[in-house]
Amino acid sequence: PALGSNIARMPVAVRRGFCRELEATIGLLARQYNDLPRDLARREAMAAVATMLGSILLARSANDPYLSD
């Protein structure tokens, strides 16, 4: 989550590398949805990655252990 805002300010080469790794992660996760059509599997994988990153951001931001753990 802090990484995202830092990556956005990095040089183009760094952002390309980040994007390449993000695409690889999405692809890896999408292949686990082997019962779905390829485009739907990719959308599901993107949603899962976004959910995971968003949950980290929220957990780090909350000062309530119930929300952050």
Side-chain angles (χ1 to χ4, degrees):
L3 175 67
S5 60
N6 291 336
I7 291 291
R9 289 185 284 246
M10 292 297 198
V12 172
V14 173
R15 293 193 321 260
R16 276 193 199 117
F18 178 80
C19 198
R20 202 170 31 251
E21 293 301 318
L22 179 59
E23 285 287 348
T25 300
I26 291 168
L28 176 70
L29 191 53
R31 288 190 295 279
Q32 307 312 305
Y33 293 101
N34 52 15
D35 59 328
L36 297 178
R38 193 173 181 171
D39 62 328
L40 181 55
R42 180 174 167 73
R43 286 196 305 266
E44 290 290 328
M46 289 175 65
V49 170
T51 299
M52 287 185 259
L53 292 176
S55 65
I56 292 170
L57 177 120
L58 292 173
R60 288 183 179 172
S61 300
N63 68 352
D64 180 346
Y66 180 75
L67 296 171
S68 63
D69 293 344

